Amino acid sequence: MFQEMEWKSMGASVVRITTFFKISSFVFCRRKKVIQEMVMMPEEQPQSDESKPVVCNQNRKLILALFAFSLIAITLGLAVYAHQQKMADPWILLFKSAAPPCLSPACLKASEHFSVTMDPFSRPCDYFLSACGSSSHRGRQRGKGIVVEDNGGQDKKRDVGSEELVKMRRKMDVQEHHDGQPDKFPDRQTALLKSIKEILESPDEGLAMSTAEQKAKKFFKTCMESESPEKVGSEPFLTLLKQMGGWAGEWIKADFNNTLALLMSQYSTFPFFSVYVGPNAGDVQTNSNQPYIQIDEPHFQFPIDWNSKTQKSKVSPQYLRTFLSSCRQYLVLLGVPSSRTTQHCGLYMSLSTTLVVATSPLPYRLSQRLLYHTITIQELQVLAPAIDWLACLKATFQPLPISQSDVILVHNLAYLINMSQTISQLKSQHDIMGTDPLHTYMMFSLLQTLIPALGSGFTQTMKNFSIATGDAQEDVPRWWKCVQQTEQGFEILLSHLIRERHAQKEAEELILDIYSSLKMKLADLDWRDEKSPGLIFDKIKSLTPRLSTETNASNHKELNQLYAEVLVSEEDYFSNYLQVLLLEQKSRSRLLSHPTRAEGLSITPFLSGNDIIVPVGMFVSPFFHFSHPRALNYGTLGFLMAKDFLHLLLPDIHTQAKNPELESACVWSYYLNVTEGPGRVGAFSLSPSKQQEVWVQHTALEVALNAYKMSFTRCPADSSLSGLSYIHLFLSSFTKVSCDADSYREFMPFEPSFLVSVLCSNSRFCPKPLTCLNKYHSYPPESRTKR
């Protein structure tokens, strides 16, 4: 209304100025003519009309020219003024509802999640109660999570534990996924996998498609043909087993370290310890991003109990029988005679339980500072001589040069020493007996690696054991597993394709806008002491957010060279899976030779030296697409990114600044005022963790909205989606993503969508405040909770 009145006033001023110039011009011309007649001598006065002087006409033309020039100047001035007004406050245009519709394929797909009824200003009461419940088929009653009736006679309300909430949320998400609700936003991981699936299933583009992309699609296709593993059964593994020496008793004896090096380099299998690459996270002072070889405890297939008194680990006794049963089932599937299953499984279990004793859980290792112990390969060789460390690591990271003097990081040196002693003892004991528990153990470890490429009997046995030990994973479609396996080997290629199809220059603009807006927001905070802002802003200024550059220089030629040695069969899925394991080895070597992490297909930002790496895996539909309206991109991914930045950079800001506590208290009071009535304001306080999350989400929404304003200032135009435009689409997008795909919702005391009501209580953010008459009296009875 204010803007409309201002424009009317400006229009009236133009009319008045124009009229003034017309009158002034006429009066000036007539007055000059009279004066001229008065001063002329009679003989000088004109005798006829034809001989009249043209002085007045000339003056009139001059004045008209001056008037025209003045009018043009005024028009230009008003235009400049209007432009300045728009630049100063682009909300004038953002409040308009008319915008051209986006009709790209990505927009048509995204429109399935939106409708004009989601406009918060058409249904304001939903934003005071439960917009999530009304727009996405689910929602929390009254927002606090789960309502539990107390048997003491008085209705009370408590929060269910976060782990339990997460399990319940996952269960609902899986159910909704199988129900096929088209208007529900997927979580970020599912959205990424679906985008990769679309790429892998897209039709071949002939010469435009690289051979690397052809190989990835071929691998995915063989994985999706679920009958393929059933046709071959266990034969591929048995063939490979013979090449490795067979089972003990019917085996060609091989050198222990040669076999271990082969498993590590060719089959990504680490039976006695795990090997990976990463920076020295224990050295917080240097903040160096230099990559190191890191050696940790291995992953065991069974639950482990920890005795804090004796500081010893052991296999949980109640699962030993189940562990033995699953071991025998694997051997039956492999055709091992029943007379030998007990021997093989006995050797496997004996060594497993012996190795477990020297392990310790992560919290204990953290408390004892056992992590990130720096040591050279030569020093480790002296302490744990049973392993040929140089040979094994050379094989794992070929063709990189590895030397005895290279520094590595170990995360439980005591375990590695104990493991070496155990291996040395078993070697001497079983050489005479003709058995080799070490070889059997390594072959079982290889089997665990290759189970995804074997028949359903193996995967079902693994699933049954997981269920029995309480570690059951949710059933997922086969395409999900095949996409993950394809990503496992072709991550760089897929990162390139995701960036090419989704995250173009618009993605980089979004990153910079969000981070710039975040810095402006944090600059307005009130700090508890004078040192805090300096430390915080020095940290923020030293960091540079950027899109992951793993695929920046990649083109078809470079990608083809990267995957040149990969051989993908049209039908043999097992051999294709072995190729993916080889690609994992190459990925480890690449990580060791490059200072940055590759994880382009991650779904959250991470720190890498002085950079905040924003993975391209975040920029997928429906959260983002370069053809989307910017209001959609900033309202969904912009909000999530702002929240990720806050959680990543400022975990302790709640204790250093005054604003988080004050703002979260204000938001909570506003919520109570709306839902319970003015008399109950302040009656219930929030825990510190929930206070911080309320502030983070409220701040992230403001940051994302201000970033959209910055983008709109640069280019005052946008498109619409499903009849929604500008601020309406932005807020609807935020509501949609916060209801369906926000991983932090469990830590909020109310639906995050309610923040729209808080935001719009300040009219400078919205075209009008959200108001709902008879607010809390109009709620359905089941949605109100007795206090």
Side-chain angles (χ1 to χ4, degrees), residues 52 117 120 148 192 284 292 398 427 490 557 622 671 709:
K52 288 181 181 179
T117 58
V148 180
L192 174 59
V284 295
Y292 289 91
Q398 59 182 317
K427 277 184 176 180
F490 295 90
K557 182 178 179 180
Y671 178 76
K709 177 180 177 180

Side-chain angles (χ1 to χ4, degrees), residues 57-75:
N57 291 334
Q58 292 174 346
N59 288 333
R60 183 179 293 111
K61 291 180 180 180
L62 177 62
I63 293 173
L64 289 176
L66 289 173
F67 166 72
F69 176 78
S70 301
L71 188 60
I72 292 173
I74 292 172
T75 303

